[in-house]
Every structure is written in structure tokens, then in C-alpha cells.
Amino acid sequence: MIERFIHQYIENYTGYKSGRWCYEDGCFYKGIADLYTATRYGWFCEQLIEHLNNQIQPDGNINGYDPAEYSLDNINAGKVLFLAYEKSSDVRYLIALRKIREQLQTHPRTKAGNFWHKNFYPSQVWLDGLYMALPFLAQFSLNYENGQSLPDIRRQFFNVRSLMFHGLNELYYHGYDESHKSPWADPETGCSACFWSRAMGWYAMAIVDLCDIIGPSHEDYIFYARLLKEIAYSILAWQQPQGLWMQIMDQSDRQGNYPETSASAMFAYTLLKGTRLGILEDHYGQAGQTAFKGIVAHQLKEEKGQWALTGICGMAGLGDGNGRFTCRDGSYEYYINEPIITDDPKGVGAFMMARAEILRQEDTHL
């Protein structure tokens, strides 16, 4: 049923924003790319190229992509262009890669040096943005810039570890406002109030992907490996008996909290991949297996011959401090009351990534 669901989903996928370049499609693309890398089944690569060609014009321009928006979210889908260019040698992908890279040349930053999450979120750093942009920047820098951006990337993660990590429960806050002026920001720390699981899922995937991208021979590998071991240890403490993680990770018994699928898939991917890379001990990989099996058992459901992945938080964010998205106050009530939806690519993409890691272990093909 897993393979059936994945094939159904890929065949029926029409784009999250009607062909406009977006991070949600990027999660879907990354899932396909990982499945291709794991299996070398050509159909996955063909599907990826077909979807990309619907968005990238022959001259390399990207439908709906405006670098002047200065949104880190818009970087995410660019990660698969490296594979697309490698497999096809189509110059449009290289042109598109360079256009996306150019955004980060002038993207606004905090005084400490971190990218703002978006232009209309001044001085804000979200865990989401680490995943959206920094693995892409690392890969581009290694491929085309002799790795010159790697110290910058390391500094941004160091800042996040210093500012957004909670020493008692060893989890990360979703967001940080350097100005401390946003209504959701703690006046002393600048951090948001809750430990949202998907935010930590973005962070964890960013770390394990960076370990893979830079490789053990690079001097920064030990730094990222330590961060990966730390977050793996932290999240394992909050895994529920059925293998999943709650929407608000550290408040499992509180009314309204629920097992959230996308974060659970992200953690499964992180634990499985971290074990494959030899950074995490075997019991972390076993926890990743348990998580994936829990998703399949409890969240993958069939109705009239169609499979669907349920229990996904549709969207969650933080307000901009200037009257935009005022409902996003960072409270427990806000996070648990966001719509819970089915088949969202943020969840399905991570599910496919985790599946690819399992297939790597099994050395089998879909």
C-alpha cells in the first residue's frame, strides 16, 4: 500500500500553487528525487523532470519566482535542480540555479548575520528557513564557489543554537525576533513561546542534509554531526508509544494536542539518514523505523481504493509584528487550532524521503 500511495500521489500531483514556484512543491520534488536516488528507478526521475519543466521555462526563468520577495521559502524547490542538471545537462536548470543563488547574495540579514525568514518578517529567524535555504546554499557553494559560503552557513547555525535552544528540555523554539518587538516574542529572549514539532523537523532535516552535502572530510562535519546527535537525542525523548510526535512536542497530555504526521515523517527521515551516514547509533535508526511504521499504521488510510496521508498540520507561522497575521501569536492554542489536512506535500514529501531511506537500507526497488 505504501508504493501504491506514493505512485498515486505522484501521478495525480498538480502543484500546490497552480504552477507558481513554492516550497511546498519543493518538499514533493525532494521526495521524488530521494526515491530516485535510492532506487535508480527511472520513472521517478522522469516525473521530477516533467514537473520541473512545467515551472522552468526554456530560458531558465522560473514561473512565479520573484527574488525581490526575499523569501527563504522560495529557495527550497531549487535543491532538486542539481540532480535535474546532472541527469539532463539541460542548461535551463543551471540558469535557474544561478537565479536562485543570486537572491541570497542580497537577502536581508539580522545584525548577527542570519537571513531574515522573509522580507516582510524583518529581523525574524525561523527554524523553517534553515531548511529552506542553507542546504541549497551549501550545495551551490561546493559545486560552483569552492565552498566559500560554508563559514557563513556554519555561523548561522551557531547563532540559532545560541539563541533558540532551550537548555532544560533541549528543544528549539520556532522563531526568534532580534528586535524583540513582535507580539509573540519574549521580551527578554526574543523567542516564540512553543516547541512546534514541524519547526524542529525542518531544523533536523537541515542538519542531516548538511552532513551529507559537506561530507566527513570537511572541517565543519564534526560541528554538524554534534548538532545532529544533540537534536536526535532530544526528539527521541518525546516520541510517543505509537511512534509519532505531537503537534506541540513537549505537551503530549494537554487537551487538543495531537500526533502530527509531517513532523513525524521528518524525524523518521532524520533518524534513518543519520544512522545510514554513521553519525547516529543504531537505536536511532530503529526509532526512525518505528516512526515510519507508526505513520503507515495510524495516518495512512484507504477509502474506496484511494490512499491518503492524514493528520498533517496545514500551515503554521508567526506574525510579522506590523499587523500582518496577527492570529499567529505563537501560543499553544494557535498551533493546535490550525487546520489538520490530508495529503499536504509538506507531509507527503517527508514521508517519501523517509521511505527512500528505508529502501536504501533494504537495497530494494519500488
Side-chain angles (χ1 to χ4, degrees), residues 3 53 60 79 102 108 174 232 235 237 255 260 269 338 342 351:
E3 289 76 13
N53 287 350
K79 295 172 184 175
E102 287 173 5
H174 183 185
I235 63 178
Q255 185 176 0
E260 202 282 320
Y269 167 77
E338 279 291 301
T342 295
F351 179 82

Side-chain angles (χ1 to χ4, degrees), residues 154-210:
R154 174 174 174 157
R155 183 169 58 252
Q156 294 197 45
F157 275 94
F158 178 83
N159 291 340
V160 166
R161 173 63 175 76
S162 300
L163 296 166
M164 300 171 67
F165 181 76
H166 189 279
L168 294 180
N169 62 16
E170 299 184 317
L171 301 176
Y172 283 81
Y173 293 105
H174 183 185
Y176 166 76
D177 177 5
E178 187 178 55
S179 74
H180 295 204
K181 293 179 180 178
S182 295
W184 52 261
D186 183 281
E188 293 186 8
T189 67
C191 290
S192 55
C194 286
F195 303 103
W196 180 40
S197 287
R198 188 158 75 215
M200 280 174 284
W202 295 127
Y203 172 83
M205 291 200 300
I207 293 294
V208 77
D209 285 352
L210 277 166

Side-chain angles (χ1 to χ4, degrees), residues 46 123 184 209 275 287 317 341 344:
E46 293 165 6
S123 301
W184 52 261
D209 285 352
T275 303
I341 62 177
D344 185 271

Side-chain angles (χ1 to χ4, degrees), residues 13-297:
Y13 193 80
T14 57
Y16 191 82
K17 292 183 177 178
S18 302
R20 186 179 184 276
W21 193 251
C22 61
Y23 82 91
E24 294 90 349
D25 285 351
C27 297
F28 169 68
Y29 298 157
K30 177 64 161 53
I32 302 177
D34 280 11
L35 285 168
Y36 170 71
T37 302
T39 65
R40 293 296 165 180
Y41 179 32
W43 182 79
F44 289 121
C45 191
E46 293 165 6
Q47 289 293 310
L48 177 61
I49 296 295
E50 181 178 334
H51 282 286
L52 287 174
N53 287 350
N54 288 333
Q55 292 197 300
I56 300 178
Q57 301 169 20
D59 61 1
N61 283 319
I62 304 169
N63 294 339
Y65 171 62
D66 180 5
E69 288 183 357
Y70 287 120
S71 169
L72 292 186
D73 286 347
N74 291 340
I75 306 298
N76 185 47
K79 295 172 184 175
V80 299
L81 296 176
F82 299 103
L83 176 64
Y85 182 55
E86 175 191 330
K87 301 306 296 184
S88 68
S89 299
D90 190 333
V91 70
R92 81 172 81 179
Y93 301 130
L94 180 58
I95 295 171
L97 277 166
R98 294 191 182 281
K99 288 179 182 292
I100 295 169
R101 170 65 180 102
E102 287 173 5
Q103 175 188 322
L104 296 178
Q105 297 280 16
T106 55
H107 196 100
R109 295 174 182 253
T110 65
K111 294 176 183 177
N114 283 70
F115 292 130
W116 292 4
H117 187 62
K118 294 183 182 181
N119 197 40
F120 58 75
Y121 289 121
S123 301
Q124 291 190 24
V125 179
W126 296 9
L127 296 180
D128 317 34
L130 300 179
Y131 176 77
M132 302 301 167
L134 296 186
F136 170 89
L137 180 57
Q139 189 70 71
F140 190 97
S141 188
L142 285 168
N143 286 11
Y144 304 111
E145 300 174 341
N146 295 317
Q148 66 182 29
S149 293
L150 296 183
D152 175 22
I153 296 167
R154 174 174 174 157
R155 183 169 58 252
Q156 294 197 45
F157 275 94
F158 178 83
N159 291 340
V160 166
R161 173 63 175 76
S162 300
L163 296 166
M164 300 171 67
F165 181 76
H166 189 279
L168 294 180
N169 62 16
E170 299 184 317
L171 301 176
Y172 283 81
Y173 293 105
H174 183 185
Y176 166 76
D177 177 5
E178 187 178 55
S179 74
H180 295 204
K181 293 179 180 178
S182 295
W184 52 261
D186 183 281
E188 293 186 8
T189 67
C191 290
S192 55
C194 286
F195 303 103
W196 180 40
S197 287
R198 188 158 75 215
M200 280 174 284
W202 295 127
Y203 172 83
M205 291 200 300
I207 293 294
V208 77
D209 285 352
L210 277 166
C211 289
D212 192 22
I213 290 166
I214 67 173
S217 63
H218 193 276
E219 60 183 351
D220 288 344
Y221 187 79
I222 294 175
F223 171 76
Y224 293 113
R226 286 174 177 168
L227 290 180
L228 178 59
K229 291 177 182 178
E230 180 179 69
I231 191 64
Y233 178 84
S234 301
I235 63 178
L236 208 61
W238 300 102
Q239 189 174 23
Q240 301 300 302
Q242 61 192 32
L244 309 182
W245 283 265
M246 306 298 283
Q247 167 76 337
I248 300 300
M249 187 180 291
D250 64 330
Q251 301 187 48
S252 58
D253 295 331
R254 192 166 173 182
Q255 185 176 0
N257 208 357
Y258 61 93
E260 202 282 320
T261 302
S262 66
S264 298
M266 291 174 179
F267 293 143
Y269 167 77
T270 299
L271 297 174
L272 289 162
K273 186 171 183 177
T275 303
R276 174 171 64 82
L277 294 176
I279 300 170
L280 301 180
E281 298 172 353
D282 287 346
H283 70 275
Y284 287 103
Q286 293 165 6
Q289 289 271 6
T290 299
F292 189 82
K293 291 175 181 177
I295 294 169
V296 172

